[in-house]
Amino acid sequence: MNNNEEKQLKKVCIICAKGAIEDVYASLVLANGAVMEGMEAKLFFTFFGLDAITKKQMKKLHTATVGNPAMRMPGGLPFPTILGMLPGVEAGVSAMMKSQMDKLDIPPVDEFIDMIVAGGGEIYACKLAMDMFKLKKEDLLDDVSGVLTVGDFYAMCGGENTQIIFT
Amino acid sequence: MKEIEIAGVTVQVNEEGYMTDPSQWNADIAKEFAAQAGIELTDKHLEVLKFLREKHTEGKTLTIRAIGKSGIVDIKGFYALFPGGPLKVSSKIAGIPKPVSCV
């Protein structure tokens, strides 16, 4: 066998540690894309990423309008940071982003997670971060398969042609 | 692009084996492609294939979400019908181009 031969990816383990819309969606798109290709996908939510699987927070994800140099006005002009500080602006921008995604058939977070689980993907939460944020298993989506330590997570990431992705 | 012979007819496919001319498709071809993917077509499969072909004719981008909302099958059921990459596998059997969607 040729050692340089490219082997097909079989499993991805994706870590979502941030709770902004774009960070969460990056993880969800990667995980869903993997199950769509017939690959195994395991999603591990930690720190602020936990918002994405916390019932109370998951529908309220925002994108940062302050400290985000790639932020643009509709039309392409730079988005003044001072504008991003005004009350309601972040919510408005976030709502606009969500409506744009909906047009591309990108579902809301809860539905997206349902899709991933329906495709055989698995969702896990980080024990340490849950302790830190005083979250209980009941606060999380029912789709969450378990609360793990980092060691448990690594134990799941073994096997040939597996990649760990941190978003 | 190349030509292959399947179910007694010659059809055009791309490098990955997706048919490039959906009008050359017929039910026997579907059966043959399905068999290659290890799938025995049921009425449910055929309903999904019909839906995919209709959407393709309308020029819509096919997504797993849209199939889940089609009322024919839910997403879990879709994965069960076409294991190992349902949108790709079903598109190939339906004789339409490889889907370009990320969702």
Side-chain angles (χ1 to χ4, degrees), chain A residues 147-160:
Chain A
V147 178
L148 306 181
T149 64
V150 66
D152 297 334
F153 176 67
Y154 280 140
M156 290 181 170
C157 305
E160 246 190 320

Side-chain angles (χ1 to χ4, degrees), chain A residues 129-149:
Chain A
M130 282 182 63
D131 291 347
M132 206 179 104
F133 292 130
K134 311 257 183 301
L135 287 168
K136 291 199 251 354
K137 180 84 169 57
E138 304 87 82
D139 299 323
L140 305 180
L141 270 187
D142 298 334
D143 280 330
V144 175
S145 301
V147 178
L148 306 181
T149 64

Side-chain angles (χ1 to χ4, degrees), chain B residues 11-76:
Chain B
V11 297
Q12 284 172 347
V13 295
N14 72 0
E15 313 75 55
E16 291 178 284
Y18 290 84
M19 285 177 65
T20 50
D21 181 1
S23 69
Q24 294 181 322
W25 181 90
N26 64 43
D28 289 334
I29 292 176
K31 215 170 154 184
E32 189 67 35
F33 271 133
Q36 287 172 12
I39 296 167
E40 199 175 323
L41 291 182
T42 62
D43 288 349
K44 204 75 185 166
H45 287 99
L46 294 173
E47 258 184 86
V48 174
L49 298 181
K50 185 164 168 269
F51 175 79
L52 291 172
R53 288 180 59 83
E54 278 168 13
K55 290 291 153 200
H56 174 70
T57 313
E58 289 167 22
K60 297 244 170 67
T61 305
L62 293 166
T63 62
I64 293 215
R65 189 190 192 199
I67 289 157
K69 289 192 168 168
S70 66
I72 299 169
V73 66
D74 63 8
I75 293 175
K76 200 169 179 174

Side-chain angles (χ1 to χ4, degrees), chain A residues 32 35-38 102 104-108 111-112 115 118-119, chain B residues 63-66 69 75-76 79 84-88 101-103:
Chain A
N32 185 62
V35 291
M36 273 174 75
E37 294 296 315
D102 192 56
L104 291 172
D105 225 3
I106 303 174
E111 191 190 332
F112 214 168
M115 280 170 63
Chain B
T63 62
I64 293 215
R65 189 190 192 199
K69 289 192 168 168
I75 293 175
K76 200 169 179 174
Y79 274 91
L87 200 53
K88 280 189 343 187
S101 139
C102 284
V103 283

